[in-house]
Structure formats: structure tokens, C-alpha cells
Amino acid sequence: MIMVKAFGYGSGGAEVAKVLQFNKVDYLAVAYADEGVALRQAGIHLPIMVMNPEPSNFDILDEYNMEPEIYSFNNILLFFNYCNTRGILSFPVHIKLDTGMHRLGFEINEVDELATFLSQQHILKVKTVFTHLVASEDEAQDEFTKEQSNQFNSACNILQQQLAYPFLRHAVNTAAISRHPYLQMDMVRLGIGLYGVDSANHLPLDIVSTLTSTIAQVKQVKAGETIGYNRKGLVTKDSLIATVRI
């Protein structure tokens, strides 16, 4: 699964998605429904997960064949009721579990109730279950990363026992792809790493994009003066500064 949110991290969502589609990636993910619509209108037919679905956009998910992330009971009931009232018989969803990030996601102590709900309905079809590793890039947090993985696998086992069909599991983000390959499970999520990763072997990297700009103005600023809002930029010595257009 490749993250192409925020216009492909600024490189052009549709342009990046076309390259990924040509290279046969399995899934794309965007933050908001309108990002996915732009991809569909650009000719992208890969499965697309929408990470922040809103009730006002449920009809867009249906119209453009996109799959929502489901992260809370309020969230799942709203979407279930939407599908039910419109006679939708099956809709693919992605279940987000919170194992330590404490942003979006079902709490681990909610998994039993979630499993029961999912098993008692036949409209929402779980395609994947996933979590987000908090500090996979930080060696000092490796034990916490392993604990997240253990909690996630235990929760997935509970869900799998209740569901009569298999689903994919994924937890590994960019940093974990290289640092924790043993946690890769069924799928990995590559984000900013699509544009380059730190190499333990110091292998040369090819430049994939370049950002250029121009200078609007150059000034001499004396020691003790400040630059920018709220005087946050304190100049400690006489300096030559430039304002860059970006």
C-alpha cells in the first residue's frame, strides 16, 4: 500500500499514482475523499483506502469506488447505516486499531465488541486490519514497537475468530520496512520512503525530484534583532538574510 496523500507529498498525487499503477502496486491510500476523486478522474483504477472518511462524503466513496478506514464505533455505525438505508449489500472497509499512537483507531479493549458487531452483519466486508507503529525509526523504542505488534496480532486473532473470511494485516510503515522486516505481515505501507530512505549500507540514492525557488529580498540584520512572527528568530550576530519564495 502506497500513501499518496497530500498530493503525493507534494510531488503530484495523480502523477505518482500513475507510476505506481504501471508498476502494479496493490493499494493506494489518501487522507481525504476528494484526493481519491482526483485520482479516479485521472484514470487510476487501483483500490484506494480513504483514511478520514466523513459522513458528508459517504456517497462519494460509493460513487468513486473507494474504501473507508473505520476507526470508532460512531464511525462504523454511521457508515453501516448509510449502506443499509441505500440497499448496499457489500462494502469493503479497513479497520484501524490503536496500539499506542492514540490518534484514530479502536482501542484494544474494544476489539471483542467490534468482532461481535462485524460478525453479526453482512454489509461491511473487512479487507484489511491495521495499526500505526509510533516510533519504528527509533532504536530506543524498539521494545515498544514489538509490544505494539504483539497487541495488534492478538487483536487480529480475536477478529479473525469471529469473521468467516480472511483479511490482510498490516502495521509496517516506511521506517519499519527496513528496520523491522519481521513485522511485515501481509502488506506494508510505504509513505515518504517512496522518495528515498536512509540506507544502512550507504548506497547511493537517485534524485527523484528537485525543489527550486528564487530569493525575493536580501537584508542585513544586526545582532539582537529578530526575524518573523512573534520575534521567534533571534539573530545572535550581524547577519545577511534572504526571504525565499515558497
Side-chain angles (χ1 to χ4, degrees):
M1 177 178 283
I2 308 293
M3 314 302 293
V4 290
K5 60 183 180 179
F7 301 103
Y9 294 94
S11 296
E15 290 80 2
V16 171
K18 287 178 181 178
V19 174
L20 297 172
Q21 182 167 272
F22 177 80
N23 284 280
K24 296 180 172 58
V25 303
D26 297 297
Y27 257 97
L28 300 178
V30 296
Y32 300 102
D34 59 342
E35 296 176 319
V37 171
L39 297 183
R40 288 285 186 249
Q41 292 175 341
I44 302 301
H45 53 72
L46 291 171
I48 298 175
M49 179 177 77
V50 178
M51 302 180 71
N52 295 280
E54 300 175 9
S56 60
N57 291 329
F58 285 169
D59 56 338
I60 294 177
L61 299 180
D62 185 23
E63 180 181 356
Y64 287 92
N65 189 30
M66 297 185 291
E67 305 169 5
E69 170 185 318
I70 300 295
Y71 52 81
S72 70
F73 283 110
N74 180 63
N75 178 235
I76 199 170
L77 288 172
L78 285 171
F79 193 66
F80 173 83
N81 289 333
Y82 168 84
C83 293
N84 193 36
T85 56
R86 283 158 180 77
I88 297 173
L89 300 179
S90 179
F91 209 111
V93 298
H94 302 262
I95 302 296
K96 173 76 172 289
L97 302 181
D98 181 5
T99 59
M101 179 66 85
H102 298 315
R103 298 195 307 201
L104 297 180
F106 288 94
E107 300 288 341
I108 296 302
N109 60 16
E110 296 176 317
V111 170
D112 285 312
E113 184 180 354
L114 174 62
T116 299
F117 175 85
L118 289 170
S119 66
Q120 291 177 348
Q121 58 80 48
H122 302 286
I123 294 176
L124 306 183
K125 176 71 178 295
V126 178
K127 296 300 293 286
T128 79
V129 178
F130 71 105
T131 194
H132 193 89
L133 299 177
V134 175
S136 57
E137 71 280 0
D138 188 351
E139 184 177 359
Q141 298 292 336
D142 281 354
E143 284 303 314
F144 188 79
T145 298
K146 292 177 184 177
E147 176 58 27
Q148 277 194 272
S149 178
N150 291 336
Q151 286 190 39
F152 176 66
N153 276 318
S154 296
C156 284
N157 289 339
I158 293 172
L159 291 170
Q160 189 62 84
Q161 288 170 6
Q162 293 268 24
L163 296 178
Y165 55 86
F167 53 79
L168 298 180
R169 308 180 184 196
H170 52 111
V172 169
N173 53 10
T174 289
I177 289 173
S178 58
R179 293 203 66 249
H180 303 284
Y182 59 95
L183 301 180
Q184 288 186 4
M185 304 179 194
D186 301 315
M187 183 162 65
V188 300
R189 298 190 308 275
L190 187 66
I192 195 67
L194 186 66
Y195 309 98
V197 295
D198 292 331
S199 171
N201 298 319
H202 304 291
L203 298 174
L205 298 176
D206 293 331
I207 295 174
V208 297
S209 61
T210 302
L211 173 65
T212 62
S213 185
T214 57
I215 293 172
Q217 189 174 17
V218 176
K219 290 185 177 181
Q220 294 280 356
V221 179
K222 293 186 179 300
E225 294 188 7
T226 58
I227 303 169
Y229 288 112
N230 299 316
R231 307 191 70 203
K232 295 292 187 181
L234 177 64
V235 178
T236 59
K237 61 181 180 180
D238 290 353
S239 301
L240 184 68
I241 68 163
T243 299
V244 180
R245 299 181 177 96
I246 185 167

